[in-house]
Amino acid sequence: MLHCLFLIQQENRINRLQQAAEIFLLQIIEAKSQVGIVTFNSAETIPSHLKVIDNEGVRNQLVQLLPTTANGETNICAGVQTGFQVLGGDDGATNGDEGVLLTDGEDSGISSCFSEVEQSGAVIHTIALGPDAAAELEQMSTLTVSGNDDIGQQSVQASPWNYGILNPGIEQDISIIVTSRAADEKVPLVTVDEHISEKDSVGGRTIYAEVSQRFSPVLFANVTVIIERPTGPTTEQELSDDGLGETDNVAL
């Protein structure tokens, strides 16, 4: 499996982008994968073409190539196009390859390369840091995943993910999507979709879980919801399926 790490240089967020990329390189990317680095703002550079992750030294070398300063405007399409050049460095093609795009997302011209992105056959995972990311950024990621017919090649890696989010005291919207990959590509993925309702008349919310394999529900599934509130202890709630394809729900 191939990966290319895309980075955008945006001065007031460069430290957070660098930290996210470092964690990806040191802890997340699978051994024997190939990784390249592209940095971009109004122009783009290639700090590293594809390297095989076959030891810790390669991981550390790539970390040392991450940018530490930033300047210029945001041109996501230019960065993605250069990323495709890097991804094609091994066999001249990008079909089935994957990219991680780290960006502030503040670019009004993202849609100009949608056609090229879709035709590439690559999967692009987008991570936006900042409140002003263009709506088209998420569309770019959705476009590439939905355009890949091989369901066994649609995700980066299945592993435990821990997220720590610091709320600075202002209201903010946070969206996190994690997709697993089957150990055997011939076995369809089992996916879990969770939904949190809007606040009801008394300020409560309800969590729903849907477990499916391709287009069929997984019956009698058990789902554990772990709820962490700003104050008070963490609680766990078991959701169980009634055999009709619908799980229980839990009210917050």
Side-chain angles (χ1 to χ4, degrees), residues 111-185:
S111 61
S112 65
C113 58
F114 275 1
S115 177
E116 181 179 355
V117 167
E118 186 173 20
Q119 293 175 10
S120 71
V123 176
I124 297 180
H125 307 269
T126 57
I127 301 175
L129 297 180
D132 301 317
E136 291 82 0
L137 186 65
E138 182 177 355
Q139 188 177 348
M140 175 181 286
S141 180
T142 303
L143 189 70
T144 61
V145 173
S146 61
N148 188 342
D149 293 331
D150 185 353
I151 196 170
Q153 298 294 328
Q154 288 188 5
S155 61
V156 174
Q157 181 178 352
S159 62
W161 291 72
N162 296 318
Y163 294 91
I165 299 172
L166 175 63
N167 191 327
I170 59 176
E171 185 175 346
Q172 56 182 327
D173 295 325
I174 298 172
S175 177
I176 298 174
I177 300 175
V178 177
T179 304
S180 65
R181 187 185 68 205
D184 185 344
E185 65 180 26

Side-chain angles (χ1 to χ4, degrees), residues 9-239:
Q9 299 184 355
Q10 188 70 15
E11 188 160 3
N12 62 341
R13 301 188 181 100
I14 190 64
N15 289 336
R16 284 184 289 171
L17 290 172
Q18 185 183 30
Q19 290 170 0
E22 183 173 339
I23 292 173
F24 177 84
L25 290 171
L26 294 179
Q27 301 179 20
I28 297 175
I29 190 69
E30 298 167 306
K32 304 304 180 182
S33 296
Q34 297 185 55
V35 179
I37 298 176
V38 172
T39 64
F40 62 96
N41 40 52
S42 53
E44 61 283 342
T45 59
I46 305 175
S48 176
H49 289 272
L50 293 176
K51 292 180 179 294
V52 179
I53 305 295
D54 53 9
N55 58 64
E56 293 301 313
V58 175
R59 295 180 187 271
N60 290 322
Q61 289 174 16
L62 291 169
V63 168
Q64 295 302 313
L65 295 174
L66 296 174
T68 57
T69 59
N71 54 69
E73 300 294 330
T74 301
N75 190 334
I76 290 175
C77 281
V80 170
Q81 289 162 350
T82 302
F84 287 158
Q85 295 176 24
V86 173
L87 285 174
D90 62 329
D91 58 5
T94 58
N95 188 55
D97 293 346
E98 301 193 35
V100 178
L101 173 61
L102 300 175
T103 174
D104 62 4
E106 298 175 16
D107 183 357
S108 60
I110 301 175
S111 61
S112 65
C113 58
F114 275 1
S115 177
E116 181 179 355
V117 167
E118 186 173 20
Q119 293 175 10
S120 71
V123 176
I124 297 180
H125 307 269
T126 57
I127 301 175
L129 297 180
D132 301 317
E136 291 82 0
L137 186 65
E138 182 177 355
Q139 188 177 348
M140 175 181 286
S141 180
T142 303
L143 189 70
T144 61
V145 173
S146 61
N148 188 342
D149 293 331
D150 185 353
I151 196 170
Q153 298 294 328
Q154 288 188 5
S155 61
V156 174
Q157 181 178 352
S159 62
W161 291 72
N162 296 318
Y163 294 91
I165 299 172
L166 175 63
N167 191 327
I170 59 176
E171 185 175 346
Q172 56 182 327
D173 295 325
I174 298 172
S175 177
I176 298 174
I177 300 175
V178 177
T179 304
S180 65
R181 187 185 68 205
D184 185 344
E185 65 180 26
K186 296 179 181 179
V187 178
L189 294 176
V190 174
T191 61
V192 180
D193 293 324
E194 53 80 20
H195 310 279
I196 302 178
S197 69
E198 298 291 334
K199 289 184 179 179
D200 57 27
S201 59
V202 295
R205 297 178 186 269
T206 303
I207 297 178
Y208 304 87
E210 179 182 356
V211 185
S212 59
Q213 189 171 31
R214 283 196 184 275
F215 303 106
S216 301
V218 176
L219 303 182
F220 304 107
N222 293 318
V223 177
T224 301
V225 177
I226 301 176
I227 304 169
E228 294 184 0
R229 296 182 171 87
T231 59
T234 298
T235 59
E236 294 188 8
Q237 177 70 46
E238 297 290 336
L239 306 184

